[in-house]
Amino acid sequence: MTALQSISETLSVGPFDALMDVARRPPIVFVEGHGSWLRDGDGRDYLDFIQGWAVNCLGHCPRPIVDALKRQAERLISCSPAFYNEPMLRLADLLVRHSGLDQVFLANTGAEANEGAIKLARKWGALHRNGAHKIVTFEHAFHGRTLATMAASGKPQWAHLFEPKVPGFPKVPLNDLDAVAAAITDKTVAVMLEPIQGEAGVFVATDAFLRGLRALTRRAGILLILDEIQTGIGRTGTFFGFQHAGIKPDILTLAKGLGGGVPLAALIATSEAACFEHGDQGGTFCGNPLMSAVGCAIMEEIARPGFLSNVAATGRYLASWLERLSRKHQLGEVRGKGLLLALDLKCAVATDIVDLARGRGLLINAPRRDSLRFMPALTVTRDEIDQMADILDVVLADVMPAT
Ligand SMILES: Cc1ncc(COP(=O)(O)O)c(C=O)c1O
């Protein structure tokens, strides 16, 4: 009997029937994970280059997270966001120290942190810019799945979903500074973007564009909001993506890697932008000690000497493999930075490749029909990258028989 059949025997309906069907999922049930490897209920191992969508920055079930959870669960799990707790204070301190910004609001998900960033900018506009509330955002951006963050996102498939839309998010193309300048009016309060558009297919905002945006927003007297939910916490080989461009935003959002697998997010701002007053923002689980203790453990690991330079070097190693595969199978460019990379396939076969790779024990993601995305653990080894590339090579040869 397979693991799925034995689970089914204990359930009152079909194994998947009690869950809302919101995503195309393969009929596999995962039960265990260590480092770069996931195991399903039948004992089959998978090399994981998705890692919970760039979430498990230290891989599956890493020692620092397991220890932090165990230690904190024995002491204090929750005590209401209306009180201070120790891990909350330590995490906020680590975040301001490493980001160079001044104040933190701890949240649970990326969308919640971004929703908070939008509220903070609108509040700042009400206080300091005559009620300006519009936020210039970007075509193909992804900021989350709440109503406001969906409106801030630039996914074409969402253009008419869940109408009426939250207003106030004019869209411009990425890396087009003139278009941003033209979109700014006296109603504009901020520009908001991801340093790398991950969900869109790993499209990089150039360092020159980010520097130009920083100068432009300063001149216009508006805020620069960076959504580093995917790029933050070491993913691109620096602690934060904005450090490649040598700039600093007014508002920064983090999630994914910050929790390393547990729900944890942060909204961080300069003291000039941090204008929330009592009652403006909050949430039952915001800053809860259990998740905050994990955040502290992650921050301490990423800050260890040599950790980030190793991510950068491993990222170059992965990129060189992808470039080799691209040349061999006559594919397109390799995009991204650090360990957030995409391989352009030049044709719409990404879903086939993902399915065939999974059949051979490799998990990769297709953010577009013509691209594969690679977001392994930041601790992935060169040997694991070699194994991934060997499987991908075989699959590419199957899908692209002409090469
Ligand atoms: C750049 C970016 N912003 C926001 C989000 C939304 O985060 P969450 O799914 O935690 O709400 C994501 C998730 O993929 C993301 O990549």
Side-chain angles (χ1 to χ4, degrees):
M1 190 190 293
T2 66
L4 194 53
Q5 284 164 340
S6 67
I7 295 171
S8 300
E9 294 211 330
T10 67
L11 305 175
S12 55
V13 290
F16 309 128
D17 294 348
L19 285 170
M20 289 194 193
D21 191 18
V22 297
R24 174 183 176 264
R25 293 179 174 125
I28 301 172
V29 181
F30 288 109
V31 293
E32 211 178 310
H34 296 286
S36 287
W37 295 89
L38 263 178
R39 179 166 292 176
D40 72 16
D42 295 315
R44 178 141 201 248
D45 289 325
Y46 298 78
L47 181 54
D48 187 1
F49 271 59
I50 299 176
Q51 288 287 357
W53 260 256
V55 163
N56 306 322
C57 54
L58 304 180
H60 290 283
C61 298
R63 206 66 252 166
I65 296 190
V66 174
D67 288 346
L69 280 171
K70 279 188 177 160
R71 238 187 346 259
Q72 190 59 40
E74 302 268 6
R75 270 169 74 76
L76 180 65
I77 292 176
S78 182
C79 66
S80 160
F83 299 117
Y84 295 117
N85 66 70
E86 248 181 281
M88 160 207 270
L89 300 180
R90 281 197 293 121
L91 180 56
D93 181 66
L94 284 163
L95 286 168
V96 300
R97 191 143 31 101
H98 287 288
S99 67
L101 278 71
D102 302 309
Q103 289 197 315
V104 179
F105 172 77
L106 294 171
N108 307 282
T109 69
E112 188 188 11
N114 281 340
E115 188 89 15
I118 293 164
K119 285 167 68 176
L120 190 61
R122 286 187 173 195
K123 172 98 189 191
W124 187 87
L127 291 174
H128 303 296
R129 210 171 139 78
N130 247 344
H133 63 280
K134 291 194 179 183
I135 300 180
V136 178
T137 49
F138 290 83
E139 291 165 8
H140 305 290
F142 185 86
H143 296 298
R145 293 170 185 278
T146 61
L147 284 174
T149 56
M150 284 182 87
S153 300
K155 259 174 105 85
Q157 308 91 296
W158 288 358
H160 300 292
L161 199 57
F162 309 134
E163 291 187 318
K165 290 256 174 280
V166 176
F169 298 98
K171 298 277 173 318
V172 292
L174 189 67
N175 290 323
D176 186 341
L177 201 57
D178 291 339
V180 180
I184 294 173
T185 69
D186 60 352
K187 298 274 183 294
T188 307
V189 71
V191 175
M192 176 172 183
L193 77 161
E194 305 147 85
I196 299 177
Q197 290 188 336
E199 297 304 298
V202 188
F203 292 96
V204 177
T206 66
D207 291 347
F209 180 63
L210 288 174
R211 284 195 283 270
L213 273 185
R214 182 62 286 188
L216 176 62
T217 48
R218 284 239 161 84
R219 271 200 312 279
I222 61 174
L223 303 171
L224 178 62
I225 305 173
L226 288 184
D227 172 348
E228 293 235 23
I229 281 153
Q230 196 155 140
T231 52
I233 315 296
R235 178 60 48 191
T236 68
T238 51
F239 221 117
F240 304 102
F242 64 76
Q243 290 165 327
H244 290 284
I247 60 153
K248 212 166 71 175
D250 303 294
I251 298 176
L252 170 69
T253 55
L254 301 171
K256 292 191 183 278
L258 179 60
V262 305
L264 178 65
L267 160 63
I268 315 177
T270 60
S271 46
E272 294 77 27
C275 57
F276 280 148
E277 295 170 285
H278 291 181
D280 285 346
Q281 185 65 328
T284 304
F285 297 114
C286 295
N288 93 77
L290 192 61
M291 300 307 135
S292 300
V294 173
C296 292
I298 297 278
M299 292 293 286
E300 281 157 11
E301 285 300 310
I302 306 289
R304 271 188 207 292
F307 188 97
L308 289 167
S309 56
N310 188 55
V311 173
T314 312
R316 284 193 294 275
Y317 187 75
L318 174 57
S320 72
W321 248 123
L322 297 179
E323 273 151 17
R324 223 175 308 160
L325 289 172
S326 176
R327 277 193 300 276
K328 179 170 174 190
H329 297 279
Q330 291 157 37
L331 309 174
E333 63 172 352
V334 174
R335 299 186 292 265
K337 280 184 186 163
L339 285 170
L340 178 56
L341 297 174
L343 173 60
D344 185 345
L345 301 164
K346 289 209 300 196
C347 56
V349 291
T351 313
D352 295 342
I353 291 177
V354 164
D355 290 346
L356 287 170
R358 192 173 55 250
R360 290 179 175 274
L362 169 65
L363 303 179
I364 43 176
N365 162 252
R368 304 160 52 95
R369 288 166 59 202
D370 65 357
S371 299
L372 299 173
R373 179 170 44 166
F374 304 82
M375 38 194 169
L378 303 184
T379 50
V380 68
T381 64
R382 289 181 182 220
D383 180 52
E384 287 161 347
I385 292 174
D386 294 346
Q387 291 182 60
M388 182 283 296
D390 285 345
I391 298 172
L392 188 56
D393 189 17
V394 172
V395 172
L396 285 167
D398 276 358
V399 175
M400 313 222 163
T403 60

